[in-house]
Amino acid sequence: MRLLNAISALLLVSAMCAAQPTPVDPIDRFRVMPVPASLKPGSGQMRLGPDFRLAFVGYTDARLSASVGRMVKRLTHRTGIELPLQYSTDPAAAMLVIECKSAGKPIPQFGDDESYTLEVTAKQAKLKANLPVGVLYGLETFLQLIDSDAQGYYLPAVTIDDKPRFPWRGLHIDAGRHFQPVEVIKRNLDAMAMVKLNVFHWHLTEDQGFRIESKKFPKLHEMGSDGLYYTQDQVRDVVQYAADRGIRVVPEFDMPAHTTAWFVGMPELASAQRTYSIERKFGVFDPVMDPTREETYKILREFLKEMTTLFPDAYLHIGGDENTGKDWKANARIQEFMDKRGIKTNAGLQTYFNQRISEILTKLDRKMVGWDEILTPDLPASAVVQSWRGEKALAETARLGHNAILSSPYYLDQLQGAAKLYLADPLAAAGELKPEEAARILGGETCMWGEAISPETIEHRIWPRAAAVAERFWSPRNVRDVDDMYRRLAIIDIQLEEVGLQHNSNSGRMLRRLVESDDTELLKKFANLVNLYSLGARDTLKQDDQQTPLTRFGDSIPAEGTSRREVAVKVGRLLTDPDSREAADELRRMFKGWQKLSAELRPVLDSSPQLRENQVRADELSELAAAGTDAVNYMSAGQAPPPPWLGTRIAITDRAARGKTLVYFPWLHSVRVLIAAANDAPKYKDATDSEWAMHLALLCEQYEIHERWHW
């Protein structure tokens, strides 16, 4: 063996340059996600059958009854067992006993006790919680524990004592750039509940659309939305739907920038008096509210007062990001206002604006939330800062005395793999914080920005990766086993369909539409070998706008396939033991399959104008397979390739790394390292394991840098 397995995993299998510790509990035979705070396996199994009955002890209400009804329905569909919703007045005769101590508030509140315990024996399961929300979470865990064998379905005996690590665990959905219908929002709320996310951050206003009905200022939604907005009745329905699932709804009305759509109907709010229209392109634009006019605050006071009647949560998000300040600088009256008050910078003027808005929200019994840009020395102490600038900025916010939540490592539109999202941590940079400062880090939100999503694609952009982030927010910090996370993520991926999520079905439907056939097997194989470029990379390839159809091959595929990890594992096996015939043959079979797929794809890709652009990638797949096969053969034979070989093969990988279509090969760096290692292996024939390991580490660093923006 030339290389220890741990080093191989470090360099190649994880493809993340980070070793993974073991889980906090022995959960390898359990299917729960997020991992509970404490899980102790017991002895035996509780078998499920048609005699399944439930009993309530203590407090109960319509919300709890409805949640139990949803749970039993999912249980019935999953097992195929006829399980009518039956209650027992005798807890001893029930298979599931639910004990809730008190009612709590009718709408979830920040800081609610979300803990629960679940004990399963061979005879009975007992779920206990202080508040209804704990019961809701416990029911999700109960469902996730279900397993099967030759005798049927069962729950393993186990004792779980569970509570979240962070109180703020959110999903942000941008409905401003591309409107998302209510049914899409509700499906995602159901999915959030499954993985114990408890904050739905609803981004409702943008340059591209004002998405909520205002009865006080109807021109806002009538002229700024293209008719695509949520009525107030729909908002109330969504808020209640979320509350019934233990989820708070925090609305965002972005101001003073990202406000073009506001000005279409009410240009008097703007700093520059011109004709405004809904922005169709994406980016950072100059229109900004006028913070110097009292009329601005009068309008915003009435608007925000109206919104608080729809959103009962104590927190309201004002955005506050990406203000260019150009319209302020160009306005002589605004500059005069700044001079009179000694305001020297645009940041200072925005601080003045934030203070005025904070005063309004305080009188409305609301706390202000905003992005990093609101953090200035004079920011009101009660304001919560949501960081898109990363863990260090988050820690600095906490050090300065503000509560904070983290988002930037969890941007789903960047299309990073679940492992990358999973290993990011809100407390990663909190090492130098005092305990009281670290306590100000409330948690985080994973964000689905709206530039490149439609109602048809949003769900396979969010899920199942958001479940990995949900585990980071809920589970103990030392639960970081990436392999086990992927094992359980594959299970939750299927279970998410139980609540109607369409992340898998929509992807399949889009592929069928592209080929106008049910036979999409070749496209599915190809889809697993490529990833869609992130939003930033996509912008360099094709300037999409709000009206661009999001129907191309790259739009249809899941955010993450399995090929990155599978290729890394197979390459790692050979580099671990270059003399392994089994590892070499495994790679040869894989590369032969790629060449076969490349040839079979040609008529499929040529048959559709939308697919034809991907032919270049299919051709590159064959070239990379040939180069990989050569590398395996040289390494297995212990032969050095001729001098020009390395340069010509690396050139093939360099061409494949260039952006030409919406998709790229996520495993490309593994093939690069294989090629380079095959070239160098004869030189290290008599080297020690550590010397070979160090050389492989250098190769990984050298060739990974070409793809750093993909990660």
Side-chain angles (χ1 to χ4, degrees), residues 317-557:
H317 206 298
I318 67 157
D321 59 321
E322 297 181 324
N323 175 16
T324 69
K326 291 181 180 179
D327 279 2
W328 286 351
K329 290 181 179 179
N331 187 314
R333 182 178 48 78
I334 291 176
Q335 292 300 306
E336 182 182 359
F337 178 93
M338 294 172 67
D339 289 341
K340 286 182 178 179
R341 286 162 177 76
I343 300 173
K344 300 185 181 301
T345 64
N346 286 331
L349 185 56
Q350 185 155 335
T351 297
Y352 170 80
F353 176 83
N354 291 341
Q355 290 170 335
R356 295 292 303 270
I357 298 300
S358 180
E359 291 171 3
I360 292 171
L361 291 175
T362 298
K363 290 179 181 178
L364 294 172
D365 197 26
R366 294 295 186 271
K367 297 178 182 179
M368 185 171 78
V369 188
W371 298 100
D372 276 310
E373 287 90 336
I374 72 168
L375 182 60
T376 60
D378 297 318
L379 181 69
S382 61
V384 176
V385 177
Q386 183 167 2
S387 180
W388 63 267
R389 291 175 175 165
E391 294 94 328
K392 291 184 179 179
L394 183 83
E396 180 64 12
T397 298
R399 190 185 65 78
L400 292 173
H402 291 280
N403 286 341
I405 52 181
L406 182 66
S407 280
S408 62
Y410 313 117
Y411 274 21
L412 297 169
D413 57 290
Q414 292 181 356
L415 297 173
Q416 296 168 322
K420 181 79 170 181
L421 301 169
Y422 185 67
L423 294 175
D425 194 283
L427 290 177
E432 298 181 3
L433 294 179
K434 299 174 183 178
E436 63 271 20
E437 294 170 342
R440 297 186 188 118
I441 297 177
L442 306 181
E445 290 181 0
T446 186
C447 296
M448 187 68 259
W449 292 102
E451 287 92 340
I453 56 172
S454 69
E456 190 175 39
T457 67
I458 181 173
E459 288 164 46
H460 58 262
R461 292 288 162 261
I462 296 176
W463 305 100
R465 293 179 303 149
V469 183
E471 179 157 293
R472 176 57 49 236
F473 295 158
W474 179 280
S475 301
R477 186 173 184 176
N478 60 342
V479 177
R480 295 172 65 83
D481 187 312
V482 169
D483 288 338
D484 191 68
M485 178 274 290
Y486 274 115
R487 175 186 69 85
R488 291 174 291 111
L489 191 67
I491 297 169
I492 203 75
D493 183 29
I494 302 301
Q495 292 179 353
L496 285 164
E497 296 176 329
E498 293 177 0
V499 296
L501 209 66
Q502 297 182 6
H503 60 306
N504 290 323
S505 59
N506 278 356
S507 178
R509 183 183 305 113
M510 293 176 73
L511 289 177
R512 289 193 296 274
R513 190 169 63 220
L514 285 170
V515 294
E516 297 182 321
S517 169
D518 288 334
D519 186 5
T520 59
E521 193 60 33
L522 292 175
L523 277 187
K524 287 180 180 178
K525 290 180 180 179
F526 187 46
N528 190 50
L529 292 174
V530 296
N531 275 16
L532 178 67
Y533 276 118
S534 67
L535 178 62
R538 180 178 182 141
D539 282 347
T540 67
L541 299 169
K542 183 177 186 295
Q543 290 295 321
D544 293 343
D545 61 28
Q546 192 186 39
Q547 296 169 321
T548 301
L550 299 172
T551 57
R552 298 164 73 185
F553 174 69
D555 295 310
S556 69
I557 66 177

Side-chain angles (χ1 to χ4, degrees), residues 22-42:
T22 56
V24 67
D25 280 315
I27 62 167
D28 60 310
R29 65 187 178 95
F30 290 89
R31 303 147 62 92
V32 181
M33 192 170 206
V35 170
S38 172
L39 184 153
K40 297 178 180 178

Side-chain angles (χ1 to χ4, degrees), residues 596-616:
K596 182 174 183 289
L597 176 62
S598 175
E600 292 175 338
L601 275 171
R602 179 171 292 280
V604 176
L605 300 179
D606 283 343
S607 70
S608 167
Q610 284 208 80
L611 288 172
R612 198 166 294 136
E613 65 177 353
N614 297 284
Q615 185 62 58
V616 63

Side-chain angles (χ1 to χ4, degrees), residues 546-621:
Q546 192 186 39
Q547 296 169 321
T548 301
L550 299 172
T551 57
R552 298 164 73 185
F553 174 69
D555 295 310
S556 69
I557 66 177
E560 179 183 18
T562 60
S563 64
R564 184 200 303 264
R565 289 175 288 121
E566 290 171 349
V567 175
V569 167
K570 291 175 182 178
V571 170
R573 285 175 183 154
L574 184 62
L575 297 190
T576 297
D577 183 7
D579 299 323
S580 170
R581 179 177 297 180
E582 182 181 355
D585 287 344
E586 185 178 42
L587 279 172
R588 289 188 185 101
R589 286 193 296 271
M590 181 183 76
F591 290 136
K592 184 177 180 180
W594 289 4
Q595 289 179 311
K596 182 174 183 289
L597 176 62
S598 175
E600 292 175 338
L601 275 171
R602 179 171 292 280
V604 176
L605 300 179
D606 283 343
S607 70
S608 167
Q610 284 208 80
L611 288 172
R612 198 166 294 136
E613 65 177 353
N614 297 284
Q615 185 62 58
V616 63
R617 288 290 187 235
D619 292 342
E620 290 167 348
L621 182 64

